[in-house]
mmCIF file with all atom_site columns, all heavy atoms in Angstrom:
data_model
loop_
_atom_site.group_PDB
_atom_site.id
_atom_site.type_symbol
_atom_site.label_atom_id
_atom_site.label_alt_id
_atom_site.label_comp_id
_atom_site.label_asym_id
_atom_site.label_entity_id
_atom_site.label_seq_id
_atom_site.pdbx_PDB_ins_code
_atom_site.Cartn_x
_atom_site.Cartn_y
_atom_site.Cartn_z
_atom_site.occupancy
_atom_site.B_iso_or_equiv
_atom_site.pdbx_formal_charge
_atom_site.auth_seq_id
_atom_site.auth_comp_id
_atom_site.auth_asym_id
_atom_site.auth_atom_id
_atom_site.pdbx_PDB_model_num
ATOM 1  N N   . GLN A 1 99  ? -4.881  1.255  -2.754 1.00 0.00 ? 99  GLN A N   1
ATOM 2  C CA  . GLN A 1 99  ? -4.125  0.580  -1.719 1.00 0.00 ? 99  GLN A CA  1
ATOM 3  C C   . GLN A 1 99  ? -4.020  1.372  -0.467 1.00 0.00 ? 99  GLN A C   1
ATOM 4  O O   . GLN A 1 99  ? -3.997  0.900  0.731  1.00 0.00 ? 99  GLN A O   1
ATOM 5  C CB  . GLN A 1 99  ? -2.855  0.061  -2.263 1.00 0.00 ? 99  GLN A CB  1
ATOM 6  C CG  . GLN A 1 99  ? -2.930  -1.076 -3.222 1.00 0.00 ? 99  GLN A CG  1
ATOM 7  C CD  . GLN A 1 99  ? -3.556  -2.339 -2.657 1.00 0.00 ? 99  GLN A CD  1
ATOM 8  O OE1 . GLN A 1 99  ? -3.524  -2.483 -1.433 1.00 0.00 ? 99  GLN A OE1 1
ATOM 9  N NE2 . GLN A 1 99  ? -4.131  -3.221 -3.488 1.00 0.00 ? 99  GLN A NE2 1
ATOM 10 N N   . LEU A 1 100 ? -3.727  2.641  -0.672 1.00 0.00 ? 100 LEU A N   1
ATOM 11 C CA  . LEU A 1 100 ? -3.586  3.577  0.470  1.00 0.00 ? 100 LEU A CA  1
ATOM 12 C C   . LEU A 1 100 ? -4.873  3.666  1.261  1.00 0.00 ? 100 LEU A C   1
ATOM 13 O O   . LEU A 1 100 ? -4.911  3.500  2.486  1.00 0.00 ? 100 LEU A O   1
ATOM 14 C CB  . LEU A 1 100 ? -3.343  5.049  -0.034 1.00 0.00 ? 100 LEU A CB  1
ATOM 15 C CG  . LEU A 1 100 ? -3.471  6.182  0.976  1.00 0.00 ? 100 LEU A CG  1
ATOM 16 C CD1 . LEU A 1 100 ? -2.427  6.072  2.055  1.00 0.00 ? 100 LEU A CD1 1
ATOM 17 C CD2 . LEU A 1 100 ? -3.404  7.492  0.279  1.00 0.00 ? 100 LEU A CD2 1
ATOM 18 N N   . PHE A 1 101 ? -6.004  3.730  0.612  1.00 0.00 ? 101 PHE A N   1
ATOM 19 C CA  . PHE A 1 101 ? -7.381  3.643  1.198  1.00 0.00 ? 101 PHE A CA  1
ATOM 20 C C   . PHE A 1 101 ? -7.595  2.255  1.869  1.00 0.00 ? 101 PHE A C   1
ATOM 21 O O   . PHE A 1 101 ? -7.898  2.220  3.113  1.00 0.00 ? 101 PHE A O   1
ATOM 22 C CB  . PHE A 1 101 ? -8.400  3.889  0.182  1.00 0.00 ? 101 PHE A CB  1
ATOM 23 C CG  . PHE A 1 101 ? -9.796  3.885  0.737  1.00 0.00 ? 101 PHE A CG  1
ATOM 24 C CD1 . PHE A 1 101 ? -10.262 4.869  1.480  1.00 0.00 ? 101 PHE A CD1 1
ATOM 25 C CD2 . PHE A 1 101 ? -10.630 2.770  0.454  1.00 0.00 ? 101 PHE A CD2 1
ATOM 26 C CE1 . PHE A 1 101 ? -11.537 4.848  2.058  1.00 0.00 ? 101 PHE A CE1 1
ATOM 27 C CE2 . PHE A 1 101 ? -11.879 2.794  0.947  1.00 0.00 ? 101 PHE A CE2 1
ATOM 28 C CZ  . PHE A 1 101 ? -12.367 3.773  1.769  1.00 0.00 ? 101 PHE A CZ  1
ATOM 29 N N   . SER A 1 102 ? -7.449  1.162  1.152  1.00 0.00 ? 102 SER A N   1
ATOM 30 C CA  . SER A 1 102 ? -7.924  -0.115 1.756  1.00 0.00 ? 102 SER A CA  1
ATOM 31 C C   . SER A 1 102 ? -6.915  -0.693 2.679  1.00 0.00 ? 102 SER A C   1
ATOM 32 O O   . SER A 1 102 ? -7.271  -1.504 3.573  1.00 0.00 ? 102 SER A O   1
ATOM 33 C CB  . SER A 1 102 ? -8.224  -1.118 0.644  1.00 0.00 ? 102 SER A CB  1
ATOM 34 O OG  . SER A 1 102 ? -6.993  -1.475 -0.122 1.00 0.00 ? 102 SER A OG  1
ATOM 35 N N   . GLY A 1 103 ? -5.626  -0.363 2.557  1.00 0.00 ? 103 GLY A N   1
ATOM 36 C CA  . GLY A 1 103 ? -4.661  -0.897 3.511  1.00 0.00 ? 103 GLY A CA  1
ATOM 37 C C   . GLY A 1 103 ? -4.343  -0.146 4.681  1.00 0.00 ? 103 GLY A C   1
ATOM 38 O O   . GLY A 1 103 ? -3.692  -0.537 5.631  1.00 0.00 ? 103 GLY A O   1
ATOM 39 N N   . PHE A 1 104 ? -4.873  1.138  4.665  1.00 0.00 ? 104 PHE A N   1
ATOM 40 C CA  . PHE A 1 104 ? -4.437  2.056  5.753  1.00 0.00 ? 104 PHE A CA  1
ATOM 41 C C   . PHE A 1 104 ? -5.619  3.000  6.164  1.00 0.00 ? 104 PHE A C   1
ATOM 42 O O   . PHE A 1 104 ? -6.085  2.930  7.247  1.00 0.00 ? 104 PHE A O   1
ATOM 43 C CB  . PHE A 1 104 ? -3.212  2.888  5.204  1.00 0.00 ? 104 PHE A CB  1
ATOM 44 C CG  . PHE A 1 104 ? -2.754  3.924  6.117  1.00 0.00 ? 104 PHE A CG  1
ATOM 45 C CD1 . PHE A 1 104 ? -2.478  3.641  7.451  1.00 0.00 ? 104 PHE A CD1 1
ATOM 46 C CD2 . PHE A 1 104 ? -2.634  5.197  5.711  1.00 0.00 ? 104 PHE A CD2 1
ATOM 47 C CE1 . PHE A 1 104 ? -1.955  4.689  8.315  1.00 0.00 ? 104 PHE A CE1 1
ATOM 48 C CE2 . PHE A 1 104 ? -2.135  6.194  6.545  1.00 0.00 ? 104 PHE A CE2 1
ATOM 49 C CZ  . PHE A 1 104 ? -1.811  5.911  7.898  1.00 0.00 ? 104 PHE A CZ  1
ATOM 50 N N   . LEU A 1 105 ? -6.059  3.901  5.284  1.00 0.00 ? 105 LEU A N   1
ATOM 51 C CA  . LEU A 1 105 ? -6.970  4.926  5.713  1.00 0.00 ? 105 LEU A CA  1
ATOM 52 C C   . LEU A 1 105 ? -8.322  4.444  6.167  1.00 0.00 ? 105 LEU A C   1
ATOM 53 O O   . LEU A 1 105 ? -8.901  4.990  7.105  1.00 0.00 ? 105 LEU A O   1
ATOM 54 C CB  . LEU A 1 105 ? -7.189  5.981  4.616  1.00 0.00 ? 105 LEU A CB  1
ATOM 55 C CG  . LEU A 1 105 ? -5.899  6.760  4.164  1.00 0.00 ? 105 LEU A CG  1
ATOM 56 C CD1 . LEU A 1 105 ? -6.296  7.745  2.996  1.00 0.00 ? 105 LEU A CD1 1
ATOM 57 C CD2 . LEU A 1 105 ? -5.496  7.604  5.299  1.00 0.00 ? 105 LEU A CD2 1
ATOM 58 N N   . ILE A 1 106 ? -8.819  3.314  5.641  1.00 0.00 ? 106 ILE A N   1
ATOM 59 C CA  . ILE A 1 106 ? -10.166 2.916  5.898  1.00 0.00 ? 106 ILE A CA  1
ATOM 60 C C   . ILE A 1 106 ? -10.271 2.488  7.428  1.00 0.00 ? 106 ILE A C   1
ATOM 61 O O   . ILE A 1 106 ? -11.286 2.461  8.021  1.00 0.00 ? 106 ILE A O   1
ATOM 62 C CB  . ILE A 1 106 ? -10.608 1.759  4.983  1.00 0.00 ? 106 ILE A CB  1
ATOM 63 C CG1 . ILE A 1 106 ? -12.143 1.586  5.043  1.00 0.00 ? 106 ILE A CG1 1
ATOM 64 C CG2 . ILE A 1 106 ? -9.833  0.497  5.257  1.00 0.00 ? 106 ILE A CG2 1
ATOM 65 C CD1 . ILE A 1 106 ? -12.715 0.849  3.966  1.00 0.00 ? 106 ILE A CD1 1
ATOM 66 N N   . ASN A 1 107 ? -9.197  2.106  7.920  1.00 0.00 ? 107 ASN A N   1
ATOM 67 C CA  . ASN A 1 107 ? -9.102  1.557  9.362  1.00 0.00 ? 107 ASN A CA  1
ATOM 68 C C   . ASN A 1 107 ? -9.445  2.819  10.263 1.00 0.00 ? 107 ASN A C   1
ATOM 69 O O   . ASN A 1 107 ? -9.905  2.520  11.457 1.00 0.00 ? 107 ASN A O   1
ATOM 70 C CB  . ASN A 1 107 ? -7.748  1.057  9.701  1.00 0.00 ? 107 ASN A CB  1
ATOM 71 C CG  . ASN A 1 107 ? -7.513  -0.302 9.056  1.00 0.00 ? 107 ASN A CG  1
ATOM 72 O OD1 . ASN A 1 107 ? -8.439  -1.032 8.920  1.00 0.00 ? 107 ASN A OD1 1
ATOM 73 N ND2 . ASN A 1 107 ? -6.327  -0.540 8.520  1.00 0.00 ? 107 ASN A ND2 1
ATOM 74 N N   . ALA A 1 108 ? -9.330  3.996  9.886  1.00 0.00 ? 108 ALA A N   1
ATOM 75 C CA  . ALA A 1 108 ? -9.670  5.114  10.726 1.00 0.00 ? 108 ALA A CA  1
ATOM 76 C C   . ALA A 1 108 ? -11.208 5.370  10.815 1.00 0.00 ? 108 ALA A C   1
ATOM 77 O O   . ALA A 1 108 ? -11.676 5.988  11.785 1.00 0.00 ? 108 ALA A O   1
ATOM 78 C CB  . ALA A 1 108 ? -9.052  6.458  10.147 1.00 0.00 ? 108 ALA A CB  1
#
Side-chain angles (χ1 to χ4, degrees):
Q99 288 297 337
L100 166 69
F101 177 75
S102 65
F104 176 54
L105 293 178
I106 199 166
N107 292 319

